[in-house]
């Protein structure tokens, strides 16, 4: 069956989907044990930035050579918005509504990302991809309104927090795709600039607000968030590599990454039984997410087989 993108791009986009399906589960556990969204964001970015700098020192003989100020500015903006702001919002959403619901709402991101990609960087949008995104977003909506998530309960207005994260991540991904199209930075260099800028932005926020309490949380929570940062380092680099491919269009890569709730639901069912509930509505939403992902990745072949 033909795919709407090369298998390599699909595989690279699915790596962060699986990994980011898992990280909200362990993060929810740490948040329930006394961790905070700001602490989580800072720890994750500190860890993955350190990993990227070490990787560049080992793998790049002439790092950042020939990169223009425009490119640096693009990835710095993506880091400040798509990483610093986005991660604080998604950790806060995870804390309020639970890993499964927060992850589902976050994956409304393709709607924002595709609109931005088509409107601002001129990416084409095929009918199969559009249909797939529509089905995927409907599935995410079903997940969001299903009676599931945090057992302590939550209010509909709490969904605005992960929705804000979805918009921030969408802006970040479109900006990253634009920066990679410029062509003077490797994916590793790009993701390093992205995360280091995010780290600086978070550090500046801490300095401005005097939030020293971020250093006074239970020790085990730092270990969990550090593990999440290590996993995120792999996921982000995989996503950047997918976006850097000639066929790594936002309208394909972003919806595939957005299937993370499918995996979050599975992991939550196994690992968060004492904190979250996975209802029949949640399972129905998962099925729609899977169908939407199938249309996004192999829509042209499916429509061709149907004679459309």
């Amino acid at each position: 069956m033909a795919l709407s993108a090369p298998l390599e791009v699909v595989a690279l986009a699915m790596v962060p989907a699986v990994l980011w399906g898992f990280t909200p589960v362990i993060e929810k556990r740490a948040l329930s044990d006394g961790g905070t969204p700001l602490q989580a964001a800072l720890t994750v970015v500190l860890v993955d930035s350190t990993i990227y700098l070490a990787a560049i020192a080992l793998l790049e003989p002439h790092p950042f050579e020939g990169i223009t100020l425009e490119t640096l500015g693009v990835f710095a903006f993506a880091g400040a918005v798509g990483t610093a702001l986005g991660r604080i919002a998604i950790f806060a959403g995870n804390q309020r509504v639970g890993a499964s619901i927060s992850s589902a709402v976050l994956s409304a991101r393709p709607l924002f990302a595709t609109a931005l990609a088509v409107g601002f960087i001129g990416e084409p949008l095929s009918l199969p991809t559009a249909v797939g995104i529509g089905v995927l977003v409907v599935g995410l909506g079903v997940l969001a309104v299903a009676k599931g998530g945090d057992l302590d309960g939550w209010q509909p207005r709490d969904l605005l927090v992960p929705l804000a994260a979805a918009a921030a991540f969408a802006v970040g991904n479109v900006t990253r795709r634009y920066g990679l199209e410029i062509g003077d930075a490797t994916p590793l260099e790009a993701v390093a600039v992205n995360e280091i800028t995010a780290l600086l932005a978070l550090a500046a926020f801490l300095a401005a607000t005097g939030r020293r309490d971020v250093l006074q949380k239970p020790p085990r929570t730092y270990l969990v968030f550090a593990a999440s940062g290590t996993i995120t380092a792999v996921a982000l680099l995989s996503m950047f590599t997918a976006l850097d491919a000639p066929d790594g269009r936002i309208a394909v890569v972003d919806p595939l990454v957005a299937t993370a709730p499918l995996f979050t639901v599975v992991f939550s069912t196994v690992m968060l039984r004492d904190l979250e509930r996975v209802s029949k509505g949640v399972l129905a939403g998962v099925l729609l997410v899977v169908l939407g992902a199938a249309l996004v990745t192999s829509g042209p072949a499916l429509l061709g087989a149907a004679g459309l």
Side-chain angles (χ1 to χ4, degrees), residues 1-301:
M1 180 179 290
L3 300 175
S4 58
L7 181 59
E8 177 185 0
V9 172
V10 173
L12 286 168
M14 288 306 299
V15 169
V18 176
L19 295 181
W20 281 332
F22 175 69
T23 53
V25 175
I26 61 173
E27 290 159 0
K28 174 63 177 179
R29 181 67 65 183
L31 290 166
S32 299
D33 288 341
T36 66
L38 184 58
Q39 172 209 2
L42 182 65
T43 305
V44 168
V45 175
L46 177 62
V47 169
D48 68 16
S49 296
T50 302
I51 291 173
Y52 292 138
L53 287 176
I56 284 177
L58 292 173
L59 302 176
E60 299 279 353
H62 304 288
F64 306 109
E65 187 176 62
I67 298 180
T68 64
L69 289 177
E70 178 187 3
T71 300
L72 290 175
V74 167
F75 290 117
F77 175 78
V81 176
T83 296
L85 294 179
R87 287 205 186 141
I88 290 176
I90 195 55
F91 287 131
N94 194 339
Q95 186 178 47
R96 292 190 184 194
V97 302
S100 56
I101 299 299
S102 181
S103 181
V105 176
L106 175 65
S107 290
R109 184 181 65 244
L111 187 62
F112 298 106
T114 303
L116 289 169
V118 172
F120 289 95
I121 61 179
E123 284 198 359
L125 177 63
S126 66
L127 177 60
T129 298
V131 172
I133 290 173
V135 174
L136 193 150
V137 171
V138 169
L140 297 173
V142 172
L143 282 171
V145 300
K147 293 182 179 180
D150 198 291
L151 289 178
D152 290 334
W154 47 274
Q155 299 298 319
R157 64 175 178 271
D158 292 331
L159 295 179
L160 293 175
V161 179
L163 191 62
F169 286 141
V171 171
N173 279 355
V174 173
T175 305
R176 291 159 185 156
R177 172 63 174 169
Y178 171 75
L180 289 166
E181 284 184 335
I182 295 174
D184 55 12
T186 66
L188 182 56
E189 291 171 335
V191 74
V193 173
N194 184 98
E195 294 302 281
I196 291 170
T197 303
L199 179 60
L200 293 174
L202 289 171
F205 176 78
L206 288 176
T209 58
R211 293 287 300 276
R212 295 184 179 180
D213 59 318
V214 77
L215 304 176
Q216 301 169 356
K217 304 304 176 184
R220 62 182 177 277
T221 62
Y222 293 98
L223 293 177
V224 174
F225 294 138
S228 178
T230 303
I231 296 170
T232 293
V234 177
L236 260 181
L237 183 58
S238 183
M239 186 183 72
F240 268 71
T241 305
L243 290 171
D244 187 50
D247 294 309
R249 296 181 294 114
I250 285 290
V252 171
V253 174
D254 205 77
L256 289 175
V257 175
T259 61
L262 169 67
F263 303 100
T264 302
V265 167
V266 175
F267 292 130
S268 295
T269 301
V270 176
M271 302 174 64
L272 294 179
R273 293 181 179 179
D274 58 326
L275 296 175
E276 297 192 18
R277 177 176 61 252
V278 177
S279 64
K280 292 181 180 179
V282 170
L283 295 178
V286 167
L287 293 176
L288 287 172
V289 169
V290 173
L291 176 59
L295 287 171
V296 168
T297 55
S298 56

